[in-house]
Amino acid sequence: MIQPRCAHWLAGATSTVAGFAAVVLCVTATALAPHPALAQTPETDGREDDGRPTVRAARLEPLAGTIEIDGLLTEEAWADAPVAEDFRQREPDEGAPATERTEIRVLFDDRSLYVGVRALDREPERVIARILQRNRLMQEEFGRLQFAGDDGVALLFDPFHDQRNGVVFAANPNGAKYDALITDEGREVNSDWRGVWHVEATRTEEGWSAEFEIPFRTLRYPASADAGPWGFNVFRVIRRKNEETLWSAWSRDNEGFLRVSRAGNLEGLTDLPRPGLNLEVKPYVLSGITRELAETTNGNGGEGAVADGGAGTNGTEERDTNGRFDLGVDAKYQVLPGLVLDLTVNPDFAQVEVDDEQVNLTRFDLFFPEKRDFFLENAGIFEFGVEGFGEPPPYKLFFSRRIGIDDGSEVPVYGGVRLTGRVGAQTLGLLNVVTDDATNGSAVNHAILRYKRDWGTSGYIGGILTDLRREGASNATAGVDASYWPTATLNLLAFVATTATSGEGGDDQAYRLAADYTGDWLGFFVQHLFVGPGSNAELGFITRPDIRKSNLFLRLTPRPPIPGLRKIDFNLQGEHILNTDGRLQDWEIGPSVTPQWNSGEAISLRYERGFTRLDEAFELADRVNVPAGDYDTWEIGLSASTSGNRVVSLNASTSYERFFDGKLVSAGGSLSLAPGSHLSAEMGFRHDDVELPGGEFTSDIASLSLRYAFSTTLTVNALLQYNSLDRRISANVRLNLIHRPGSDLFIVLDEERGSDDSAWDFRSRGLVAKLTYLVRL
């Protein structure tokens, strides 16, 4: 209930600023007040005294034989094991019993942890399973981990019971695998981590079932023989109903699968195997060939790239063809239980997916996510700063794509070492990587140190140091941050940081204060960020220095009793930016409304008004300049999406924007097709039409993604993209064979075409084969 004092505050607001402050005070008071839903704790449903469900793992007796991982729970040991059930709905009927039964059993021996799943369904023929490829099963959306379009079951383990970090394993009825590392209760979800484990699933007359086998050496757990229970939770989605059920943490008041602190208990895991040498070595061998345009001298003595049909000195196209052969190795060693040392020598990232094409319609740098394996594992430990809300992050002290990538081109990485994990109540991260210097051929050293100390139930106090050193120059940063949960639904965040650069400039400070409240019917986020004008983090990402930025996000989510309607989100979002001298730079504010149906369909309408001040002119596109000055802005947008459980699904959006005294009309979307378990396709398109006093242009980005999964271990992906502004066509075809657990064969074909004359002019082509082989000692 909104507090009565809110009416007094709102009535007394005599200006926009005062009204803004009144709204913040109002929602803060409401958030901190006792909430009726919070008073109804899970303790009332017959669970353990701490309000958490508990299940006991049963040890496999030596004479009982082994578990055959075939997806069928036919062994006698499964029948004798304790059962975790009593799943509750999170959606659509919070707290109600699941409409279909789920049974979870846990076994273990001296080598592995086994989890048996019986996902019962009274209409087994309606179970949806179209995915075979690894790590396509789940995806992160707005801070939640969701199943993409299939029925599925996900397991979460918190072996250290630190109530912050965990590991996820998931499968669908096809046996498609997904795994991820969870940091700080879902603030970071690393879906690119690949553990060594096995799962098989099968459809039955009662629904479907699955058997997971997770080697203990894939997990990190305390050294003590009796370290107490593990955190454990299970998430099941029944896709045709869009029903989400959980064993624990089913409340919509800031609970959910990623809230590790709200997981249940897994007991009985005693006398677990102690690690021996616990060393993993993964060498690779790579061979390939590339062909690209050579720089040739034209008839006037100038130099330039000659496209197909162009005339060089001899009137013909010249291309360079180069062979390639590489060897390298990755190694992993468990120094202490939970603390892992990784080493890489001459790493190669030929198998990494290409970046999605983007068009930059701002004066700031684009942000491309990290996709390289070595930098993704345990990446959440090194996070420090502020994530963006549908925009590049305003301030990050560490961004791993600064290592080994210079102006979009790869720079040789000689090697690196990483130490990450948990020691008692501490989380530690140390990373050091040496690369080539693209400018002079010398070495560049990149060093990052991250430390966190647990604070309260789920919070922490931490610090970070980064250091970049190259010949004749250096850049260093330091910061201290904190996260504190005064209640289960309110998270307070803060940091202070400084940067230092050799030579002139680059020395300045930054700080942030924020509060994040998440409930079912009410949510809000308030933040103030200061970034000094001289801030320079060469190992990080700073979108915009010299700002004092304040943000407000307010959400109200009623669930009216309308047949078929799940909820309606009413959002209000505002932003106010000054420079550090107090001069207004930007502001915007506007509402949006998003109804969502039980079927999975949603539609959203938004409107924003704002203001932008340009202190300097900039070039938006070729020969289209935007002069310095003050600009009023407004935008109206509409988007819609269909449910991902359909064979054909659609996402579409369009907007009209008052844009630098001109207009910007945008339209885009994607069409996905999944007719069966093997083949899937997605077509994407975005069109932007810009008309400004200084010129006009249109841009188009189109993509076609095709995936064919022969099995869960052999897949082929093809991505074709077109960018009209760059007049560029790119193609990437990648075959991945998992020839044994943790070991892969990749065959990758890349081709790029386009020039100022024609989008079909040849630019480059490459074919690479890479073989990895994991040895566990």
Side-chain angles (χ1 to χ4, degrees), residues 268-291:
L269 293 172
T270 58
D271 298 323
L272 297 183
R274 296 298 93 206
L277 180 60
N278 212 340
L279 173 66
E280 295 181 358
V281 180
K282 183 190 285 190
Y284 81 83
V285 58
L286 178 146
S287 181
I289 186 171
T290 60
R291 195 178 190 192

Side-chain angles (χ1 to χ4, degrees), residues 168-180:
V168 171
F169 304 93
N172 69 354
N174 292 335
K177 299 167 70 174
Y178 172 90
D179 47 17

Side-chain angles (χ1 to χ4, degrees), residues 627-698:
D630 293 348
Y631 299 92
D632 292 321
T633 65
W634 63 269
E635 180 181 3
I636 186 168
L638 177 68
S639 61
S641 62
T642 62
S643 175
N645 63 12
R646 304 187 186 281
V647 173
V648 179
S649 58
L650 174 68
N651 291 277
S653 64
T654 184
S655 64
Y656 181 95
E657 182 177 353
R658 178 70 174 172
F659 187 69
F660 297 124
D661 283 346
K663 68 176 183 178
L664 166 62
V665 181
S666 299
S670 64
L671 179 68
S672 299
L673 174 67
S677 300
H678 297 283
L679 177 66
S680 64
E682 182 174 344
M683 294 170 284
F685 182 75
R686 178 179 173 88
H687 172 80
D688 293 294
D689 189 349
V690 179
E691 294 184 13
L692 300 177
E696 59 185 60
F697 66 93
T698 62

Side-chain angles (χ1 to χ4, degrees), residues 31 44 110 220 254 257 321 334 338 395 435 450 499 526 529 535 549 564 568 599-600 608 651 707 750:
T44 61
D110 290 335
R220 311 299 175 192
N254 205 28
F257 185 59
T321 301
Q334 183 168 284
Y395 191 89
T435 70
R450 184 72 161 111
T499 65
V526 290
L529 172 68
S535 295
K549 179 178 182 179
I568 304 176
S599 62
E608 288 183 354
N651 291 277
R707 302 186 183 98
D750 287 299

